[in-house]
Structures are given as structure tokens and as C-alpha cells.
Amino acid sequence: MRKLLGMTAVAAILGMASYAQAADLKMSHVRPQGATIDVELRAFADEIKSATGGDVNIEIFPASALGDYTTVQERVSVGMVDMATQPVATGVDRRMQISSLPYLVTNWEQAQKVYGRGGILHNTMQELYAEQDITMLAAYPVYFGGISLNVDPINPGDPSKSNGIKVRVPGIKAFQLEGEALGYIPSPLPFSEAFSAIQIGVVDGVMGSGAEGYYASFRDVTKSYIPANTHFEVWYMLISNESLNQLDADDVAVLEKAAEAFETKRWEVAQQDQAKWEKRLADELGTNVVKLTDEQLAAMSAKVQKEVWPEILNDLGQEWGQAILDKVSQQ
């Protein structure tokens, strides 16, 4: 009897230990259920669950269900949300604006060198997130950004002329200044409020996303799309250090390896994905996708770099920001 009771006690202890090691993590993202990132993250979660033998279960929360991405980043920092794959929020650290500096890169090859693993922006963002008690697991390249309008465009390829069109921009200084430089009237609004703001006419469109984002979240209010290459959109897969520290070493290794593979695969398909969504806007919704010439894009880039970059560098810290720009030019 004593032997049986002893074995039962050991089994109970082992069971409790096994239970303590299991982790249920909540992952937030900004797109609706069924969007590209939602599908990819659910596949990622399935892979993690399988590879860890069920020790790590990631539950996906789409459509900013856990809060606007700016709020979610703060919650990840303090351990209130476990994980997120989302745009960078700059409220806590203005230096994070460097990730979305307009016209920092001009093509996909350069983008991968700068934002991909080993690139200056990849390393920089890892360091900045670390200062907020967040581990950056992967970069997620999305697209070159553009401008969605619920009205007909006015002088879309001429940044020297004001068009009087009011657009929602993220609450990031770089986007506000860029909107002005390109001739628009920028109105900073949270992403979660942008759709209703267009519906009721508070703004005439959106700046800060790209074709996939406008199709996923704004297709009913996108009459025109201007692929102005406003910025290179990169999201980051994040995990709270508090949540990460609850995992054992083997599970952490699985998570890190899967995240690297997730990023690598995304770089392989992102450029084709951008073209696909621009085509879907035109073919399925009848959106007027404006064709801009290389000369028009160059004029936009030159004006923004001349007028916006100096102000942003002052915001970031001139010496710190310029050192990064110098390294970008070398990659």
C-alpha cells in the first residue's frame, strides 16, 4: 500500500511539473481573420505546438482584438500580452521611427539587405525592442506602402502641388511630415479608427499601409490606390521576455528556429504578394490603381528626403540616426 501511495504521489508530482512547463501564449495581429498574416501565423502556431509536443500553444487574436498595436506593444513590454506580429509603435521610443523612415530603401533587393537578418535595421530593431523587455523573434516584410483614397486623386504624381485631400496617417511623426511633403493634409488616427473615419468623411483616405492592407481592411472605402512607395512596411514578431523566460531551453530553441524559417519564407514571397494585392484591388474591386513613372517616384523620394529626413533625424538624435543611414547606404 505504501509503495502504491508513493508511486501515486510521484505521478502526481510529475504531472504537476509537466503542467507547469506547458505554456499557453496569446499572439496579437492587426489584420482580419483569414488575411494573409492570419493564415501564416496559424500555420506557425500549429508548427510550434507539434514541434514542442504540445508544450507551447499559441492562440491567435486577429483584428486588434487585444488592443490597437500601439497599446499591444506596451502590453507585451510588461507581460500583459505574450506575443504580437505587428507594425512598430514609436510612443515609448522615438528612435523606432527609423524602421518606417520614408524612402529609406527603393527596391526589394536593398530592402532585404537592410531589414533582413544581419541587416542594420534588423539588428537595430532587435536592440530597441530589447530595451523594452521584448525579444524580437523575426522581421516580417509586408510591402512598399501607398495611399488609399475614397475620392479621385489630384496631382498624384506631383509632390510640388497641394491637393487638399485629408488622409489618416499613423501617430508617427515621419508619416505626418511625409503626408505634408507629398501634398496631403495628414490626420493622425489609430489604425482601429481609420475605417469609420473614412466612412463618415472625417478623412478622405489612408496613408501608412499598402495594397494588401487596404484590401484587407479598407476595400469598401478604397476608390483609388496610389502605389507611391511611401515607406517599406515591416512588421516584427515579438514576445514578452516574461513569457519567453517561462519556456524551457528546448522550447525556446524550437520557437527561435521556427521564427527564423517564418521570416525566410516571407522574404521569398513578399514581392509577388504585393503585386497580387495590387491586381486584386483593380480586378475585383474596380479600384483605380494609379500608374506612376520612375521620374514621379524619384521626385517624391527627393522631396521627402530633403524636407522630412532632417526633422526626423533631429527627433531620433542626429548622430545616432545618421550612423544608421550611413550603414544603409553601404548595404
Side-chain angles (χ1 to χ4, degrees):
M1 178 64 70
R2 290 195 190 96
K3 183 177 180 181
L4 179 60
L5 290 173
M7 291 175 64
T8 303
V10 170
I13 293 171
L14 289 174
M16 290 174 62
S18 175
Y19 176 78
Q21 290 176 359
D24 294 318
L25 306 178
K26 296 180 179 180
M27 164 92 80
S28 174
H29 72 80
V30 300
R31 291 289 189 259
Q33 186 171 349
T36 301
I37 183 64
D38 186 65
V39 172
E40 293 175 347
L41 286 178
R42 291 181 190 279
F44 175 81
D46 288 343
E47 180 183 348
I48 295 298
K49 184 175 182 179
S50 175
T52 62
D55 283 350
V56 181
N57 300 296
I58 301 175
E59 185 177 0
I60 306 301
F61 289 81
S64 301
L66 300 182
D68 188 77
Y69 72 90
T70 56
T71 302
V72 166
Q73 183 171 308
E74 295 174 7
R75 290 174 175 169
V76 172
S77 177
V78 298
M80 292 176 63
V81 173
D82 301 298
M83 300 181 73
T85 300
Q86 62 180 32
V88 62
T90 63
V92 174
D93 189 342
R94 289 182 296 181
R95 292 176 298 170
M96 287 187 142
Q97 293 180 85
I98 195 69
S99 177
S100 54
L101 189 67
Y103 296 102
L104 182 61
V105 294
T106 59
N107 58 64
W108 282 94
E109 182 180 3
Q110 183 188 21
Q112 186 164 2
K113 290 178 180 178
V114 170
Y115 289 93
R117 288 184 180 256
I120 179 60
L121 257 294
H122 198 287
N123 295 341
T124 297
M125 294 308 294
Q126 277 187 321
E127 294 167 3
L128 294 178
Y129 277 119
E131 292 179 14
Q132 297 179 37
D133 254 351
I134 296 171
T135 293
M136 183 185 119
L137 294 170
Y140 181 88
V142 190
Y143 42 58
F144 279 93
I147 303 165
S148 164
L149 300 177
N150 201 31
V151 297
D152 293 328
I154 301 172
N155 304 317
D158 187 352
S160 68
K161 297 178 180 178
S162 177
N163 55 45
I165 297 175
K166 194 171 186 178
V167 295
R168 172 269 175 185
V169 296
I172 298 174
K173 188 174 182 180
F175 280 108
Q176 297 171 37
L177 294 173
E178 182 184 21
E180 293 176 354
L182 295 180
Y184 295 87
I185 303 171
S187 178
L189 289 170
F191 179 86
S192 56
E193 297 177 14
F195 184 85
S196 59
I198 300 171
Q199 277 189 315
I200 63 177
V202 173
V203 294
D204 302 308
V206 187
M207 185 174 173
S209 192
E212 179 271 336
Y214 297 133
Y215 185 95
S217 302
F218 298 95
R219 57 177 172 266
D220 294 334
V221 290
T222 298
K223 183 176 180 179
S224 304
Y225 176 63
I226 306 168
N229 291 355
T230 51
H231 68 293
F232 188 70
E233 178 85 359
V234 181
W235 298 342
Y236 299 98
M237 180 183 284
L238 314 174
I239 184 169
S240 166
N241 283 351
E242 182 177 322
S243 300
L244 187 65
N245 291 339
Q246 294 175 2
L247 306 182
D248 64 33
D250 289 342
D251 289 341
V252 170
V254 168
L255 186 64
E256 291 175 340
K257 183 178 179 180
E260 182 174 356
F262 179 81
E263 177 179 335
T264 298
K265 183 177 180 180
R266 180 61 193 173
W267 278 111
E268 294 171 355
V269 303
Q271 184 173 2
Q272 292 77 18
D273 206 40
Q274 174 179 309
K276 177 187 74 176
W277 289 107
E278 289 180 3
K279 190 173 188 302
R280 290 190 71 175
L281 280 176
D283 293 351
E284 296 180 22
L285 307 181
T287 301
N288 172 26
V289 178
V290 178
K291 302 296 183 184
L292 298 176
T293 66
D294 290 341
E295 291 75 19
Q296 288 172 323
L297 289 170
M300 292 178 175
S301 176
K303 190 168 190 284
V304 168
Q305 289 186 22
K306 180 181 179 180
E307 296 181 6
V308 176
W309 281 20
E311 292 199 47
I312 298 303
L313 284 177
N314 287 335
D315 218 28
L316 302 178
Q318 183 72 35
E319 185 176 346
W320 183 87
Q322 190 59 54
I324 291 176
L325 292 182
D326 291 342
K327 291 179 181 177
V328 168
S329 66
Q330 297 168 9
Q331 290 191 309

